[in-house]
Every structure is written in structure tokens, then in C-alpha cells.
Amino acid sequence: MTDLGTDAGLPKVLMVDDRRENLVALEAILQGMPVRTVGADSGEAALKQLLMDEFALILMDAQMPDMDGFETARRIKQRERTRTIPIVFLTAVDYNAHLALRGYAVGAVDYLTKPIDPWVLRAKVSVFVELWEKNRRVRAQAALTQAYERRLAHAANRLEHALGLHQDAGGDPALEQELRSILTELQDGNR
């Protein structure tokens, strides 16, 4: 699977299938897209990968030995850190409404049957990766906004303290009025 240093900043797609040839085929379909693919050959291996990395999307075979895709998805959705990662189930079984419903019930966002149309899969991956990138930008902006609000609150507290010191020292009323005006602006800007 792609694991080059040049791909370090790219969104990651976790591909889960017990058959190596299916992982190779998925990687070939996604080749050239702005994603870093990571393969896992079992549900257990997928859960381990999810402990180590952040993923934009999971493409998972529904039918695997030991822990199938449904059980793996159930465990993924139980973890706080991974519950929002979209899961697209892939299966070689002809479309079966019961299996599709089972997939949706454990948190899948889509269910595709093999053979997979490469263009459909690429389009779906593009959409989910774009959503992940937008969500990442929103989270980063929210963190910046919170940091800015904390700095404003801290500046307002320092100004309020300075204003108290100024009053205690019998300072200039014009300067006191200007400091109060600045304090009010800071406090209004932090609401």
C-alpha cells in the first residue's frame, strides 16, 4: 500500500479486505487520487491501524473470516475517536437488502457490490475525502477562534486590573475613561 513520506499530508483511506488481491485492486483504483491508502487484511488489523492513524474513510469488505466487516464496523463506531469515520462496505455477494441494512445498522454510509465500478468508487472517495478536509478546516478554525477568545478574555482581565491600579493611584480621569472604553470593546468582542 502507499506509504511514502511524500504522502504524509494526504488524507488516509483505510482499505480492509482479507484477500490481498482485493487490496491491490483497490489501491490501483485509487491510484493518482490525492489520498494515502493503508491496507489491513482483517478486522483486527483495521482496529490496530485506527489506533495509530487518523483516516478520512474506510473501505471494508463485509465478508471476512474471524471478525467480519459488520463486527469491525460496530467496534469502530463504539470508539469516540473513530465513530465519525465514514465506512463504505464492499462485498462480493450479490446485492442483498438484508446485508445492506445490516451494514447501515452498524454505521455504514454506503454499500457497494463487487465487481466495483472504479469510477463510482473514485467519485465516492472524492466526496468523502472532501467532506473530511472541510471538517478538518472547520475544526482548525474553531480551535483558532477559541484561542483568540481566550486571548481577548485574558487581555480584558489584564486591562481591568490595570484600570483598578490606575484608579487606586488617583490617575487621570480622561485616561480612565479611555481604558474603560477599550475594556468595553474587548468584552463586547469576546461575546
Side-chain angles (χ1 to χ4, degrees), residues 88-171:
V88 175
F89 274 118
L90 312 173
T91 184
V93 177
D94 287 335
Y95 183 80
N96 177 319
H98 174 71
L99 286 178
L101 286 174
R102 188 173 169 207
Y104 294 126
V106 293
V109 295
D110 209 346
Y111 194 93
L112 301 174
T113 55
K114 298 172 187 173
I116 306 258
D117 181 330
W119 298 109
V120 169
L121 183 60
R122 288 174 67 89
K124 289 178 183 293
V125 169
S126 290
V127 167
F128 286 116
V129 165
E130 183 178 333
L131 286 171
W132 178 82
E133 288 174 332
K134 286 180 179 178
N135 283 334
R136 187 175 65 167
R137 284 194 297 270
V138 166
R139 286 190 307 268
Q141 185 61 46
L144 287 173
T145 300
Q146 287 176 345
Y148 177 73
E149 288 173 350
R150 282 191 302 274
R151 287 176 48 206
L152 273 177
H154 181 70
N157 287 339
R158 288 184 60 206
L159 185 56
E160 198 166 352
H161 178 72
L163 185 55
L165 292 175
H166 177 75
Q167 287 175 330
D168 291 346

Coordinates of all heavy atoms in Angstrom, one line a residue, residues 88-171:
V88 N -17.6 2.6 4.0 CA -18.3 2.1 2.8 C -18.0 0.6 2.7 O -16.8 0.1 2.7 CB -17.7 2.8 1.5 CG1 -18.4 2.1 0.3 CG2 -18.0 4.3 1.6
F89 N -19.1 -0.2 2.8 CA -18.9 -1.7 2.7 C -18.8 -2.1 1.3 O -19.5 -1.6 0.4 CB -20.1 -2.4 3.4 CG -19.9 -2.6 4.8 CD1 -20.8 -2.0 5.7 CD2 -18.9 -3.4 5.3 CE1 -20.7 -2.2 7.1 CE2 -18.8 -3.6 6.7 CZ -19.7 -3.0 7.6
L90 N -17.9 -3.1 1.0 CA -17.7 -3.7 -0.3 C -18.0 -5.2 -0.1 O -17.5 -5.8 0.9 CB -16.3 -3.5 -0.8 CG -15.7 -2.1 -0.7 CD1 -14.2 -2.0 -1.0 CD2 -16.5 -1.1 -1.6
T91 N -18.7 -5.8 -1.0 CA -19.0 -7.2 -0.9 C -19.1 -7.9 -2.2 O -19.5 -7.3 -3.2 CB -20.3 -7.5 0.0 OG1 -20.4 -8.9 0.1 CG2 -21.5 -6.9 -0.7
A92 N -18.6 -9.1 -2.2 CA -18.7 -9.9 -3.5 C -20.1 -10.6 -3.6 O -20.5 -11.0 -4.7 CB -17.6 -11.0 -3.5
V93 N -20.8 -10.6 -2.5 CA -22.2 -11.2 -2.5 C -23.1 -10.3 -3.4 O -23.0 -9.0 -3.3 CB -22.7 -11.3 -1.1 CG1 -24.1 -11.8 -1.1 CG2 -21.8 -12.1 -0.2
D94 N -24.0 -10.9 -4.2 CA -24.9 -10.1 -4.9 C -25.7 -9.2 -3.9 O -25.9 -9.6 -2.8 CB -25.9 -11.0 -5.7 CG -25.3 -11.7 -6.9 OD1 -24.3 -11.1 -7.4 OD2 -25.8 -12.8 -7.3
Y95 N -26.2 -8.1 -4.4 CA -26.9 -7.2 -3.5 C -28.0 -7.9 -2.8 O -28.8 -8.6 -3.3 CB -27.5 -6.0 -4.3 CG -28.1 -5.0 -3.4 CD1 -27.4 -4.0 -2.7 CD2 -29.5 -5.0 -3.2 CE1 -27.9 -3.1 -1.9 CE2 -30.1 -4.1 -2.3 CZ -29.3 -3.2 -1.7 OH -29.9 -2.3 -0.8
N96 N -27.9 -7.7 -1.5 CA -28.9 -8.4 -0.6 C -29.4 -7.3 0.4 O -28.6 -6.7 1.1 CB -28.2 -9.5 0.1 CG -29.1 -10.2 1.2 OD1 -29.8 -9.6 1.9 ND2 -28.9 -11.5 1.2
A97 N -30.6 -7.0 0.3 CA -31.2 -5.9 1.2 C -30.9 -6.1 2.6 O -30.6 -5.2 3.4 CB -32.7 -5.8 0.9
H98 N -31.0 -7.4 3.1 CA -30.7 -7.7 4.5 C -29.3 -7.3 4.9 O -29.0 -6.7 5.9 CB -31.0 -9.2 4.8 CG -30.6 -9.6 6.2 ND1 -31.3 -9.2 7.3 CD2 -29.5 -10.3 6.6 CE1 -30.7 -9.7 8.4 NE2 -29.7 -10.4 8.0
L99 N -28.3 -7.7 4.0 CA -26.9 -7.4 4.3 C -26.7 -5.9 4.2 O -25.9 -5.3 5.1 CB -25.9 -8.1 3.3 CG -25.8 -9.6 3.5 CD1 -24.8 -10.2 2.5 CD2 -25.2 -9.9 4.9
A100 N -27.3 -5.2 3.3 CA -27.1 -3.8 3.2 C -27.7 -3.1 4.5 O -27.1 -2.2 5.0 CB -27.8 -3.2 1.9
L101 N -28.9 -3.5 4.9 CA -29.5 -3.0 6.1 C -28.6 -3.3 7.3 O -28.5 -2.4 8.2 CB -30.9 -3.5 6.3 CG -32.0 -3.0 5.4 CD1 -33.3 -3.7 5.6 CD2 -32.2 -1.5 5.6
R102 N -28.1 -4.4 7.4 CA -27.1 -4.8 8.5 C -25.9 -3.8 8.5 O -25.5 -3.4 9.5 CB -26.7 -6.2 8.3 CG -25.9 -6.7 9.5 CD -25.7 -8.2 9.4 NE -24.7 -8.6 10.4 CZ -23.9 -9.6 10.3 NH1 -23.9 -10.4 9.2 NH2 -23.0 -9.9 11.2
G103 N -25.4 -3.5 7.3 CA -24.3 -2.6 7.2 C -24.7 -1.2 7.6 O -24.0 -0.6 8.4
Y104 N -25.8 -0.7 7.2 CA -26.3 0.6 7.6 C -26.6 0.6 9.1 O -26.3 1.6 9.8 CB -27.5 1.0 6.8 CG -27.3 1.3 5.4 CD1 -28.0 0.6 4.4 CD2 -26.2 2.1 4.9 CE1 -27.8 0.8 3.0 CE2 -26.0 2.3 3.6 CZ -26.7 1.7 2.6 OH -26.5 1.9 1.3
A105 N -27.1 -0.5 9.6 CA -27.4 -0.5 11.1 C -26.1 -0.4 11.9 O -26.2 0.1 13.1 CB -28.1 -1.8 11.4
V106 N -25.0 -0.8 11.4 CA -23.7 -0.7 12.2 C -23.0 0.5 11.9 O -21.8 0.7 12.4 CB -22.8 -2.0 12.1 CG1 -23.5 -3.2 12.7 CG2 -22.4 -2.2 10.7
G107 N -23.5 1.4 11.0 CA -22.9 2.7 10.8 C -22.3 2.9 9.5 O -21.7 4.0 9.2
A108 N -22.5 2.1 8.5 CA -22.0 2.3 7.2 C -22.7 3.4 6.5 O -23.9 3.7 6.8 CB -22.2 1.0 6.3
V109 N -22.0 4.1 5.6 CA -22.6 5.2 4.9 C -23.0 4.8 3.4 O -23.7 5.5 2.7 CB -21.8 6.5 4.8 CG1 -21.6 7.1 6.2 CG2 -20.4 6.2 4.2
D110 N -22.4 3.7 3.0 CA -22.7 3.2 1.7 C -22.4 1.7 1.6 O -21.6 1.2 2.5 CB -21.9 3.9 0.6 CG -22.7 4.0 -0.7 OD1 -23.6 3.2 -0.9 OD2 -22.3 4.8 -1.6
Y111 N -22.9 1.0 0.6 CA -22.7 -0.4 0.4 C -22.6 -0.7 -1.1 O -23.5 -0.5 -1.8 CB -23.9 -1.1 1.0 CG -23.8 -2.6 1.3 CD1 -23.4 -3.1 2.5 CD2 -24.1 -3.5 0.3 CE1 -23.3 -4.4 2.7 CE2 -24.0 -4.9 0.5 CZ -23.6 -5.3 1.7 OH -23.5 -6.7 2.0
L112 N -21.4 -1.2 -1.5 CA -21.2 -1.5 -2.9 C -20.9 -3.0 -3.1 O -20.2 -3.6 -2.3 CB -20.0 -0.7 -3.4 CG -20.1 0.9 -3.3 CD1 -18.7 1.5 -3.7 CD2 -21.2 1.4 -4.2
T113 N -21.4 -3.5 -4.2 CA -21.2 -4.9 -4.5 C -20.1 -5.0 -5.6 O -19.9 -4.1 -6.4 CB -22.4 -5.6 -5.1 OG1 -22.9 -4.9 -6.2 CG2 -23.5 -5.7 -4.0
K114 N -19.3 -6.1 -5.5 CA -18.2 -6.3 -6.4 C -18.8 -7.1 -7.6 O -19.7 -7.9 -7.5 CB -17.1 -7.2 -5.8 CG -16.5 -6.5 -4.6 CD -15.5 -7.4 -3.9 CE -15.0 -6.8 -2.6 NZ -14.2 -7.7 -1.8
P115 N -18.3 -6.9 -8.8 CA -17.1 -6.1 -9.1 C -17.5 -4.6 -9.0 O -18.6 -4.1 -9.4 CB -16.8 -6.4 -10.6 CG -18.1 -6.9 -11.2 CD -18.8 -7.5 -10.0
I116 N -16.6 -3.8 -8.4 CA -16.8 -2.4 -8.2 C -16.5 -1.6 -9.4 O -15.5 -1.8 -10.1 CB -15.8 -2.0 -7.1 CG1 -16.0 -2.8 -5.9 CG2 -15.9 -0.5 -6.8 CD1 -16.7 -2.4 -4.7
D117 N -17.4 -0.7 -9.7 CA -17.1 0.2 -10.9 C -16.1 1.2 -10.4 O -16.3 2.0 -9.4 CB -18.4 1.0 -11.2 CG -18.3 1.9 -12.4 OD1 -17.2 2.5 -12.5 OD2 -19.3 2.1 -13.1
P118 N -14.9 1.2 -11.0 CA -13.8 2.1 -10.5 C -14.2 3.6 -10.4 O -13.8 4.3 -9.5 CB -12.7 1.9 -11.5 CG -13.0 0.6 -12.1 CD -14.5 0.4 -12.1
W119 N -15.0 4.1 -11.4 CA -15.3 5.5 -11.4 C -16.3 5.8 -10.3 O -16.2 6.9 -9.8 CB -15.8 5.9 -12.8 CG -14.8 5.6 -13.9 CD1 -14.7 4.6 -14.8 CD2 -13.5 6.3 -14.0 NE1 -13.6 4.7 -15.5 CE2 -12.8 5.7 -15.0 CE3 -12.9 7.4 -13.3 CZ2 -11.5 6.2 -15.4 CZ3 -11.7 7.8 -13.7 CH2 -11.0 7.2 -14.7
V120 N -17.2 4.9 -10.0 CA -18.1 5.2 -8.9 C -17.4 5.2 -7.6 O -17.6 6.1 -6.8 CB -19.2 4.1 -8.9 CG1 -20.1 4.2 -7.6 CG2 -20.1 4.2 -10.1
L121 N -16.5 4.3 -7.4 CA -15.7 4.2 -6.2 C -14.8 5.5 -6.0 O -14.8 6.1 -5.0 CB -14.8 3.0 -6.1 CG -14.0 2.9 -4.8 CD1 -15.0 2.8 -3.6 CD2 -13.1 1.6 -4.8
R122 N -14.2 5.9 -7.1 CA -13.4 7.1 -7.1 C -14.2 8.3 -6.7 O -13.8 9.2 -6.0 CB -12.6 7.3 -8.4 CG -11.5 6.3 -8.6 CD -10.9 6.4 -10.0 NE -10.2 7.7 -10.2 CZ -8.9 7.9 -9.9 NH1 -8.2 6.9 -9.4 NH2 -8.3 9.1 -10.1
A123 N -15.4 8.4 -7.3 CA -16.3 9.6 -7.0 C -16.7 9.6 -5.6 O -16.7 10.6 -4.9 CB -17.5 9.5 -7.9
K124 N -17.0 8.4 -5.0 CA -17.4 8.4 -3.6 C -16.3 8.7 -2.7 O -16.4 9.5 -1.8 CB -18.0 7.0 -3.3 CG -19.3 6.7 -3.9 CD -19.8 5.3 -3.6 CE -21.1 5.0 -4.3 NZ -22.3 5.8 -3.8
V125 N -15.1 8.2 -3.0 CA -13.9 8.5 -2.2 C -13.6 10.0 -2.3 O -13.4 10.6 -1.2 CB -12.7 7.7 -2.7 CG1 -11.4 8.2 -2.0 CG2 -12.9 6.2 -2.3
S126 N -13.8 10.6 -3.4 CA -13.5 12.0 -3.6 C -14.5 12.8 -2.7 O -14.1 13.8 -2.0 CB -13.7 12.5 -5.0 OG -12.7 12.0 -5.8
V127 N -15.7 12.5 -2.7 CA -16.7 13.2 -1.9 C -16.4 13.1 -0.4 O -16.4 14.1 0.3 CB -18.2 12.7 -2.2 CG1 -19.2 13.2 -1.2 CG2 -18.6 13.1 -3.6
F128 N -16.1 11.9 0.1 CA -15.9 11.7 1.5 C -14.6 12.3 1.9 O -14.5 12.9 3.0 CB -15.9 10.2 1.9 CG -17.3 9.6 1.9 CD1 -17.6 8.6 1.0 CD2 -18.2 10.1 2.8 CE1 -18.9 8.1 1.0 CE2 -19.5 9.6 2.8 CZ -19.9 8.6 1.9
V129 N -13.6 12.3 1.1 CA -12.3 13.0 1.4 C -12.5 14.5 1.4 O -12.0 15.2 2.3 CB -11.2 12.6 0.4 CG1 -10.0 13.5 0.5 CG2 -10.8 11.1 0.7
E130 N -13.3 15.0 0.5 CA -13.6 16.5 0.5 C -14.3 16.9 1.8 O -14.0 17.9 2.4 CB -14.4 16.8 -0.7 CG -14.6 18.3 -0.8 CD -15.4 18.7 -2.1 OE1 -15.3 17.9 -3.1 OE2 -16.1 19.7 -2.1
L131 N -15.3 16.1 2.2 CA -16.0 16.4 3.4 C -15.1 16.3 4.6 O -15.1 17.1 5.5 CB -17.1 15.4 3.6 CG -18.4 15.5 2.7 CD1 -19.3 14.4 2.9 CD2 -19.1 16.8 3.1
W132 N -14.2 15.3 4.7 CA -13.2 15.2 5.8 C -12.3 16.4 5.8 O -12.1 16.9 6.9 CB -12.4 13.9 5.6 CG -11.4 13.7 6.6 CD1 -11.5 13.2 7.9 CD2 -10.0 14.1 6.5 NE1 -10.3 13.2 8.6 CE2 -9.4 13.7 7.8 CE3 -9.2 14.6 5.5 CZ2 -8.0 13.9 8.0 CZ3 -7.8 14.8 5.8 CH2 -7.3 14.5 7.0
E133 N -11.8 16.9 4.6 CA -10.9 18.0 4.6 C -11.7 19.3 5.1 O -11.1 20.1 5.8 CB -10.4 18.2 3.2 CG -9.3 17.2 2.9 CD -8.8 17.2 1.4 OE1 -9.6 17.7 0.5 OE2 -7.7 16.8 1.2
K134 N -12.9 19.4 4.7 CA -13.7 20.6 5.1 C -14.0 20.5 6.6 O -13.8 21.6 7.3 CB -15.1 20.7 4.4 CG -14.9 21.1 2.9 CD -16.2 21.2 2.2 CE -16.0 21.7 0.8 NZ -17.2 21.7 0.0
N135 N -14.3 19.4 7.1 CA -14.5 19.2 8.6 C -13.2 19.5 9.3 O -13.2 20.1 10.4 CB -15.0 17.8 8.9 CG -16.4 17.7 8.7 OD1 -17.2 18.6 8.7 ND2 -16.8 16.4 8.4
R136 N -12.1 19.1 8.8 CA -10.8 19.4 9.4 C -10.5 20.9 9.5 O -10.0 21.4 10.5 CB -9.6 18.6 8.7 CG -8.3 18.7 9.4 CD -7.3 17.9 8.7 NE -7.0 18.4 7.3 CZ -6.0 18.1 6.6 NH1 -5.2 17.2 7.0 NH2 -5.8 18.6 5.4
R137 N -10.8 21.6 8.4 CA -10.6 23.0 8.3 C -11.5 23.7 9.3 O -11.1 24.7 10.0 CB -10.8 23.6 6.9 CG -9.7 23.3 6.0 CD -9.8 24.1 4.7 NE -10.9 23.8 3.9 CZ -11.0 22.9 2.9 NH1 -9.9 22.1 2.7 NH2 -12.1 22.7 2.2
V138 N -12.8 23.3 9.4 CA -13.7 23.8 10.4 C -13.2 23.6 11.8 O -13.3 24.6 12.6 CB -15.1 23.2 10.2 CG1 -16.0 23.6 11.4 CG2 -15.8 23.7 8.9
R139 N -12.7 22.4 12.1 CA -12.2 22.2 13.5 C -11.0 23.1 13.8 O -10.8 23.6 14.9 CB -11.8 20.7 13.6 CG -13.0 19.8 13.8 CD -12.6 18.4 14.2 NE -11.6 17.8 13.3 CZ -11.8 17.0 12.2 NH1 -13.1 16.8 11.9 NH2 -10.9 16.5 11.5
A140 N -10.1 23.2 12.8 CA -8.9 24.1 12.9 C -9.4 25.5 13.2 O -8.8 26.2 14.0 CB -8.0 24.0 11.7
Q141 N -10.4 26.0 12.4 CA -10.8 27.4 12.6 C -11.5 27.5 13.9 O -11.3 28.6 14.6 CB -11.8 27.7 11.5 CG -12.3 29.2 11.5 CD -11.1 30.1 11.3 OE1 -10.3 30.0 10.4 NE2 -11.1 31.2 12.2
A142 N -12.2 26.5 14.4 CA -12.9 26.6 15.7 C -11.8 26.7 16.8 O -11.9 27.5 17.8 CB -13.8 25.4 15.9
A143 N -10.7 25.9 16.6 CA -9.6 26.0 17.6 C -9.0 27.4 17.6 O -8.7 27.9 18.7 CB -8.6 24.9 17.3
L144 N -8.8 27.9 16.5 CA -8.2 29.3 16.4 C -9.1 30.3 17.0 O -8.7 31.2 17.7 CB -7.9 29.7 14.9 CG -6.8 29.0 14.2 CD1 -6.7 29.4 12.8 CD2 -5.4 29.4 14.9
T145 N -10.4 30.2 16.8 CA -11.4 31.1 17.4 C -11.4 31.0 18.9 O -11.4 32.0 19.6 CB -12.8 30.8 16.8 OG1 -12.8 31.0 15.4 CG2 -13.8 31.7 17.4
Q146 N -11.3 29.8 19.4 CA -11.3 29.6 20.9 C -10.0 30.2 21.4 O -10.1 30.8 22.5 CB -11.4 28.1 21.2 CG -12.8 27.5 21.0 CD -12.8 26.0 21.3 OE1 -11.8 25.4 21.3 NE2 -14.0 25.5 21.4
A147 N -8.9 30.0 20.8 CA -7.6 30.6 21.2 C -7.7 32.1 21.2 O -7.3 32.8 22.2 CB -6.5 30.1 20.4
Y148 N -8.3 32.7 20.2 CA -8.4 34.1 20.1 C -9.3 34.6 21.2 O -9.0 35.6 21.8 CB -9.0 34.5 18.7 CG -9.3 35.9 18.5 CD1 -8.3 36.9 18.4 CD2 -10.6 36.4 18.5 CE1 -8.5 38.2 18.2 CE2 -10.9 37.8 18.3 CZ -9.8 38.6 18.2 OH -10.1 40.0 18.0
E149 N -10.5 33.9 21.5 CA -11.4 34.3 22.5 C -10.7 34.3 23.9 O -10.9 35.1 24.7 CB -12.6 33.5 22.5 CG -13.5 33.8 21.3 CD -14.7 32.9 21.2 OE1 -14.7 31.8 21.9 OE2 -15.6 33.2 20.4
R150 N -9.8 33.3 24.1 CA -9.1 33.2 25.4 C -8.1 34.3 25.5 O -8.0 34.9 26.6 CB -8.4 31.8 25.5 CG -9.2 30.7 25.8 CD -8.4 29.4 26.2 NE -7.5 29.0 25.1 CZ -7.8 28.2 24.1 NH1 -9.1 27.7 24.0 NH2 -6.9 27.8 23.2
R151 N -7.5 34.7 24.4 CA -6.5 35.8 24.4 C -7.3 37.1 24.7 O -6.8 38.0 25.5 CB -5.7 35.9 23.1 CG -4.7 34.8 23.0 CD -4.0 34.7 21.7 NE -3.4 36.0 21.3 CZ -3.2 36.4 20.1 NH1 -3.4 35.5 19.1 NH2 -2.7 37.6 19.8
L152 N -8.4 37.3 24.1 CA -9.2 38.5 24.3 C -9.7 38.6 25.8 O -9.6 39.6 26.4 CB -10.5 38.5 23.5 CG -10.4 39.1 22.1 CD1 -11.7 38.9 21.3 CD2 -10.0 40.5 22.1
A153 N -10.1 37.5 26.4 CA -10.6 37.4 27.8 C -9.4 37.7 28.7 O -9.5 38.5 29.7 CB -11.2 36.1 28.1
H154 N -8.2 37.2 28.4 CA -7.0 37.5 29.2 C -6.6 38.9 29.1 O -6.3 39.6 30.1 CB -5.9 36.6 28.7 CG -4.6 36.8 29.5 ND1 -4.5 36.3 30.8 CD2 -3.4 37.4 29.1 CE1 -3.3 36.7 31.2 NE2 -2.6 37.3 30.2
A155 N -6.7 39.5 27.9 CA -6.4 40.9 27.7 C -7.4 41.8 28.5 O -7.0 42.8 29.1 CB -6.4 41.3 26.2
A156 N -8.7 41.4 28.4 CA -9.7 42.2 29.2 C -9.4 42.1 30.7 O -9.5 43.1 31.4 CB -11.1 41.7 28.8
N157 N -9.0 40.9 31.2 CA -8.7 40.8 32.6 C -7.5 41.7 33.0 O -7.5 42.3 34.0 CB -8.4 39.4 33.0 CG -9.7 38.5 33.0 OD1 -10.8 39.1 33.1 ND2 -9.6 37.2 32.8
R158 N -6.5 41.7 32.1 CA -5.3 42.5 32.4 C -5.6 44.0 32.4 O -5.2 44.7 33.2 CB -4.2 42.2 31.4 CG -3.6 40.8 31.7 CD -2.4 40.5 30.7 NE -1.4 41.5 30.9 CZ -0.5 41.8 30.0 NH1 -0.5 41.2 28.8 NH2 0.4 42.7 30.2
L159 N -6.5 44.4 31.5 CA -6.8 45.8 31.4 C -7.7 46.2 32.5 O -7.5 47.3 33.1 CB -7.6 46.0 30.0 CG -8.0 47.5 29.7 CD1 -6.7 48.4 29.7 CD2 -8.7 47.5 28.4
E160 N -8.6 45.3 33.0 CA -9.4 45.6 34.1 C -8.5 45.7 35.4 O -8.7 46.7 36.2 CB -10.4 44.5 34.3 CG -11.6 44.8 35.2 CD -12.7 43.8 35.1 OE1 -12.7 42.9 34.3 OE2 -13.6 44.0 35.9
H161 N -7.5 44.9 35.5 CA -6.6 45.0 36.6 C -5.8 46.3 36.5 O -5.6 47.0 37.6 CB -5.6 43.8 36.6 CG -4.6 43.9 37.7 ND1 -4.9 43.6 39.0 CD2 -3.3 44.1 37.6 CE1 -3.8 43.7 39.7 NE2 -2.8 44.0 38.9
A162 N -5.3 46.7 35.4 CA -4.6 47.9 35.2 C -5.5 49.1 35.5 O -5.0 50.1 36.1 CB -4.1 48.0 33.8
L163 N -6.7 49.0 35.1 CA -7.7 50.1 35.4 C -7.9 50.3 36.9 O -7.9 51.4 37.4 CB -9.0 49.8 34.7 CG -10.1 50.9 34.8 CD1 -9.6 52.2 34.3 CD2 -11.3 50.4 34.1
G164 N -7.9 49.2 37.6 CA -8.0 49.2 39.1 C -6.8 49.9 39.7 O -6.9 50.7 40.6
L165 N -5.6 49.5 39.2 CA -4.4 50.1 39.7 C -4.3 51.6 39.4 O -3.9 52.4 40.3 CB -3.2 49.4 39.1 CG -2.9 48.0 39.5 CD1 -1.7 47.4 38.7 CD2 -2.6 47.9 41.0
H166 N -4.8 52.0 38.2 CA -4.9 53.4 37.8 C -5.8 54.2 38.8 O -5.4 55.3 39.2 CB -5.3 53.5 36.4 CG -5.5 54.9 35.9 ND1 -4.4 55.7 35.6 CD2 -6.6 55.7 35.7 CE1 -4.8 56.8 35.2 NE2 -6.1 56.9 35.2
Q167 N -6.9 53.6 39.1 CA -7.9 54.3 40.0 C -7.3 54.4 41.4 O -7.4 55.5 42.0 CB -9.2 53.5 40.1 CG -10.1 53.6 38.8 CD -11.3 52.7 38.9 OE1 -11.3 51.7 39.6 NE2 -12.4 53.2 38.3
D168 N -6.7 53.3 41.9 CA -6.1 53.4 43.2 C -5.0 54.4 43.3 O -4.8 55.0 44.4 CB -5.5 52.0 43.6 CG -6.5 50.9 43.8 OD1 -7.7 51.3 43.9 OD2 -6.2 49.7 43.8
A169 N -4.3 54.7 42.2 CA -3.2 55.7 42.2 C -3.8 57.1 42.0 O -3.0 58.0 41.9 CB -2.2 55.3 41.2
G170 N -5.1 57.2 41.9 CA -5.7 58.6 41.6 C -5.3 59.1 40.3 O -5.0 60.3 40.1
G171 N -5.4 58.3 39.3 CA -5.0 58.6 37.9 C -5.9 59.6 37.2 O -6.9 60.0 37.7

